[in-house]
């Protein structure tokens, strides 16, 4: 138990569906992240939220839409996805430290997404 | 060429063996992370270091900033150590701890 909870753990959706991934952290951290892990590829940063403000969008297609309503919750809204978007989506949180540093990352278990 | 390179990509060991996984990076960093990912997918942070050496139980991580190289050592390896070990770096100059990841090392420890 890392203190970061993701739901659902598994999701299968069609290309025309709209779904959302949810992440909740119970650690009092002030930064939250979405990462994507595709088969045979390194983890890729998608979005960073710090103090509920999006501070990083790593050239992610608009069919992925993040939302951070408060410092404990992070969503990833999905619509009109493609089969190549099938991957493990990992949420993480950290306590942002000094300007050029970050605290240790705490990851959720991930949401495995399959797009048919 | 990736900014973070790990070797080996796959590693098989017998229980009790001493294991070393290497990580080299080509960018300026503020910190280096070693992460462990089990088959279920969840990732656990093992170490975050910016200099020297850290030890936790049977795990030891070292970093040489001048050579841009880090190693993760596992002493007296055990089958439960079987996992993917990932090296990641926090890029210097980014305020929000943007991480760049290596491709991971798949470790299998046989009893």
């Amino acid at each position: 138990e890392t203190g970061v909870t993701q739901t659902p753990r598994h999701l299968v959706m069609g290309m025309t569906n709209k779904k959302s991934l949810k992440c909740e952290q119970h650690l009092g951290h002030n930064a939250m992240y979405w990462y994507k892990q595709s088969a045979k590829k390194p983890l890729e940063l998608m979005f960073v939220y710090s103090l509920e403000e999006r501070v990083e969008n790593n050239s992610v297609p608009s069919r992925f839409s993040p939302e951070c309503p408060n410092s404990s919750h992070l969503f990833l809204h999905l619509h009109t996805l493609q089969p190549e978007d099938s991957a493990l989506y990992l949420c993480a949180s950290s306590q942002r430290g000094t300007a050029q540093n970050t605290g240790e990352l705490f990851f959720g278990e991930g949401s495995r997404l399959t797009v048919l | 060429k990736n900014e973070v390179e790990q070797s080996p990509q796959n590693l098989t060991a017998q229980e009790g063996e001493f294991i070393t996984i290497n990580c080299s990076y080509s960018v300026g960093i503020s910190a280096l992370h070693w992460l462990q990912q089990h088959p279920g997918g969840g990732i656990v942070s093992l170490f975050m270091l910016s200099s020297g050496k850290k030890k936790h139980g049977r795990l030891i991580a070292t970093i040489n900033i001048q050579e841009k190289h880090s190693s993760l050592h596992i002493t007296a390896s055990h089958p439960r150590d079987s996992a993917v070990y990932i090296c990641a770096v926090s890029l210097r100059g980014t305020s929000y701890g943007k991480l760049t990841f290596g491709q991971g090392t798949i470790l299998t420890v046989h009893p």
Side-chain angles (χ1 to χ4, degrees):
Chain A
E1 176 60 50
T2 63
V4 181
T5 304
Q6 288 187 242
T7 55
R9 294 291 312 278
H10 299 271
L11 178 63
V12 179
M13 60 187 289
M15 293 166 60
T16 57
N17 291 158
K18 289 185 180 180
K19 298 284 185 183
S20 296
L21 305 181
K22 178 183 176 182
C23 177
E24 183 174 1
Q25 58 99 357
H26 310 277
L27 301 167
H29 289 162
N30 59 10
M32 296 185 76
Y33 311 76
W34 279 116
Y35 288 95
K36 176 183 178 182
Q37 187 177 39
S38 303
K40 310 290 186 187
K41 292 176 67 175
L43 277 151
E44 303 171 70
L45 178 66
M46 298 177 73
F47 300 104
V48 180
Y49 275 82
S50 177
L51 300 173
E52 300 150 46
E53 180 183 342
R54 190 192 313 178
V55 295
E56 183 89 24
N57 177 346
N58 211 25
S59 303
V60 179
S62 59
R63 57 186 184 271
F64 295 91
S65 175
E67 179 190 1
C68 187
N70 55 61
S71 60
S72 300
H73 293 86
L74 185 65
F75 294 89
L76 188 63
H77 303 300
L78 317 169
H79 62 98
T80 60
L81 294 192
Q82 305 297 312
E84 59 264 29
D85 296 322
S86 299
L88 181 69
Y89 290 85
L90 287 149
C91 173
S93 71
S94 72
Q95 184 64 24
R96 180 189 162 197
T98 56
Q100 292 201 9
N101 208 342
T102 187
E104 184 179 3
L105 280 177
F106 291 77
F107 285 85
E109 293 288 318
S111 294
R112 186 158 301 278
L113 172 67
T114 303
V115 181
L116 301 176
Chain B
K1 190 181 189 306
N2 291 338
E3 292 173 316
V4 180
E5 292 279 352
Q6 287 184 236
S7 63
Q9 292 192 23
N10 287 278
L11 182 57
T12 301
Q14 290 297 125
E15 183 172 356
E17 288 185 355
F18 180 84
I19 288 164
T20 296
I21 300 171
N22 295 299
C23 176
S24 297
Y25 54 92
S26 57
V27 293
I29 71 168
S30 58
L32 183 140
H33 306 251
W34 280 105
L35 310 169
Q36 181 191 56
Q37 184 173 32
H38 279 280
I43 293 176
V44 175
S45 175
L46 299 175
F47 296 102
M48 184 178 78
L49 65 166
S50 54
S51 65
K53 175 180 175 179
K54 286 190 176 180
K55 184 176 190 292
H56 185 256
R58 295 180 294 106
L59 302 178
I60 303 166
T62 63
I63 187 169
N64 185 318
I65 296 294
Q66 286 72 33
E67 295 187 2
K68 295 187 174 175
H69 181 269
S70 175
S71 293
L72 176 69
H73 306 286
I74 305 176
T75 61
S77 60
H78 190 276
R80 65 175 174 265
D81 297 325
S82 298
V84 178
Y85 291 84
I86 302 170
C87 172
V89 297
S90 300
L91 300 181
R92 188 192 303 145
T94 63
S95 299
Y96 302 99
K98 178 178 177 178
L99 291 193
T100 300
F101 295 82
Q103 75 275 30
T105 295
I106 303 172
L107 171 65
T108 305
V109 181
H110 293 293

